[in-house]
Amino acid sequence: MTQIEILAPAAESTVTAHELTAAERNGLITVAGRLTGPAHPLIDSPDWLGAAREATSLLPRQLLGTLRAFRHDPGADGVLLLRNLPVTAGDPLPPTPGVPNSVERVPTTAASVIVSVMLQLGEVIAFRNEKSGALVQNVVPVPGKEDSQSNAGSVLLELHVENAFHDNRPDYVGLLCMREDPTGDAKLCTSSIRRALPLLSEATRRVLAEPRFLTEPPPSFGSLGGVRSAHPVLQGDLDDPNVLVDFAATHPLDERAKAAMAELREAFVETMAAHRLRVGDLAVVDNRVAVHGRTSFTPRYDGEDRWLERVYAHLDNRRSRVDRLGGGAVLN
Ligand SMILES: O=C(O)CCC(=O)C(=O)O
Ligand SMILES: [Fe+2]
């Protein structure tokens, strides 16, 4: 889409949040304690990920139940909002990183928490051509990148399925708030196809279910992104389909397909939930059922800007084996 309209969410999120009790929060600090500290290997090493896989079964019982239920059915919104997660073990948070492609290599409380939670949903993965293949990535505004359609930008980030072009895109995207946007303007926006579908005409649904769309890889993937073939935007059972679209990277192949995509975007905007994430909020987006984006905001680059940590997970490690060199967690 060439013309990017304003995402102007009417109200705060109506997505049900699961707030951890003080005891559950302490339970998470204990789990993170098993994975943090100078004696531990770096996050991207097989040893650390193995330790995190062992630690994940020690998460508080109720949280395990909530995650299992979400995996079974992501609900009408396709988003799970967890609140009151620890992001430090009491020590002060460092300044928000302000450099391109910033990632977390040393296991911190926050990194241990988000990885332990995401490991309950699937296998934690990353992409070699994105943020150097690091499993825990920082989502921060970067000077000079203001206008980019990436998470380093601060202009409106269009609604998208994460890595929509990739055959083995993540099934879940976890975004943990480390520091709130001091201006309050930056909001994670999510829309689900389950809420949008009833707003679409029968004819539009049929067009969206045909292979009349092409999705480009982001420039960072270079030639390894490969040439992808035309795909439908709605996939599977048309009564409850999966969605595959990125409104900044998916191109309709004809006029009718273009109109159908525009109608879909309108339906998404109408049914959108906007989340002003607070410290310790973890939004998990089901990347088959929901799209996400972000409103525009004005960074200050003073170390106090909005800061999220992001981790991907997917469900079928065998399905993706062909893309994971050596059987590791990083996909080509
Ligand atoms: O900044 C946000 O709220 C979302 C950014 C995003 O789409 C991402 O990191 O995948
Ligand atoms: Fe995203």
Side-chain angles (χ1 to χ4, degrees):
M1 297 227 125
T2 45
Q3 194 195 352
I4 292 178
E5 297 156 49
I6 294 169
L7 291 182
E12 278 261 317
S13 160
T14 52
V15 172
T16 317
H18 296 257
E19 175 128 8
L20 267 64
T21 62
E24 289 172 330
R25 183 185 162 96
N26 284 336
L28 271 179
I29 291 177
T30 306
V31 169
R34 298 169 68 101
L35 300 169
T36 51
H40 285 271
L42 296 180
I43 291 176
D44 298 287
S45 65
D47 284 354
W48 189 81
L49 200 53
R53 261 196 309 275
E54 277 175 30
T56 180
S57 60
L58 304 172
L59 291 177
R61 241 177 151 61
Q62 180 142 13
L63 177 58
L64 288 174
T66 301
L67 292 165
R68 184 64 184 82
F70 181 68
R71 199 172 73 185
H72 173 67
D73 190 321
D77 294 299
V79 180
L80 175 65
L81 193 54
L82 300 171
R83 295 222 138 116
N84 197 29
L85 272 62
V87 299
T88 68
D91 31 318
L93 196 66
T96 298
V99 293
N101 299 318
S102 154
V103 300
E104 297 289 315
R105 297 283 186 195
V106 176
T108 58
T109 299
S112 305
V113 163
I114 186 172
V115 169
S116 307
V117 169
M118 295 302 285
L119 278 171
Q120 277 301 319
L121 292 171
E123 301 299 331
V124 160
I125 50 153
F127 294 82
R128 192 168 309 282
N129 291 307
E130 191 177 55
K131 311 227 187 207
S132 53
L135 294 176
V136 180
Q137 310 167 356
N138 291 316
V139 175
V140 290
V142 174
K145 299 261 186 199
E146 288 78 6
D147 295 333
S148 85
Q149 276 298 301
S150 77
N151 61 28
S154 37
V155 295
L156 175 142
L157 180 59
E158 260 298 348
L159 291 171
H160 59 279
V161 161
E162 194 69 19
N163 291 343
F165 74 96
H166 203 288
D167 288 341
N168 282 310
R169 58 194 161 273
D171 294 313
Y172 301 101
V173 180
L175 294 161
L176 173 63
C177 183
M178 306 288 291
R179 180 172 277 128
E180 300 167 18
D181 173 23
T183 69
D185 291 340
K187 295 188 184 75
L188 169 70
C189 297
T190 59
S191 304
S192 85
I193 190 59
R194 286 178 164 174
R195 291 215 187 272
L197 198 68
L199 277 57
L200 302 176
S201 70
E202 199 56 47
T204 294
R205 291 185 207 183
R206 270 201 304 275
V207 173
L208 291 171
E210 289 168 4
R212 293 161 82 155
F213 308 87
L214 262 183
T215 299
E216 294 173 67
S220 58
F221 275 76
S223 58
L224 278 178
V227 179
R228 309 280 152 169
S229 49
H231 64 85
V233 161
L234 298 184
Q235 306 185 348
D237 184 348
L238 272 191
D239 285 338
D240 183 16
N242 287 342
V243 66
L244 182 58
V245 73
D246 176 336
F247 288 94
T250 301
H251 303 285
L253 294 177
D254 58 75
E255 283 305 309
R256 187 63 192 92
K258 184 176 173 184
M261 229 176 105
E263 198 179 317
L264 176 64
R265 187 178 182 279
E266 244 169 66
F268 275 149
V269 171
E270 206 162 309
T271 54
M272 194 164 74
H275 315 269
R276 186 180 161 191
L277 298 176
R278 314 291 161 118
V279 175
D281 284 358
L282 172 61
V284 183
V285 179
D286 186 315
N287 204 35
R288 291 91 39 99
V289 168
V291 290
H292 66 282
R294 194 211 56 242
T295 54
S296 62
F297 66 110
T298 309
R300 300 176 186 161
Y301 305 127
D302 59 356
E304 296 295 320
D305 282 323
R306 180 176 186 257
W307 176 10
L308 312 181
E309 282 187 5
R310 180 177 73 178
V311 170
Y312 298 147
H314 76 186
L315 283 164
D316 191 339
N317 224 28
R318 287 307 301 167
R319 186 191 66 201
S320 66
R321 178 61 182 83
V322 64
D323 288 330
R324 292 184 296 105
L325 266 188
V330 182
L331 283 82
N332 278 321

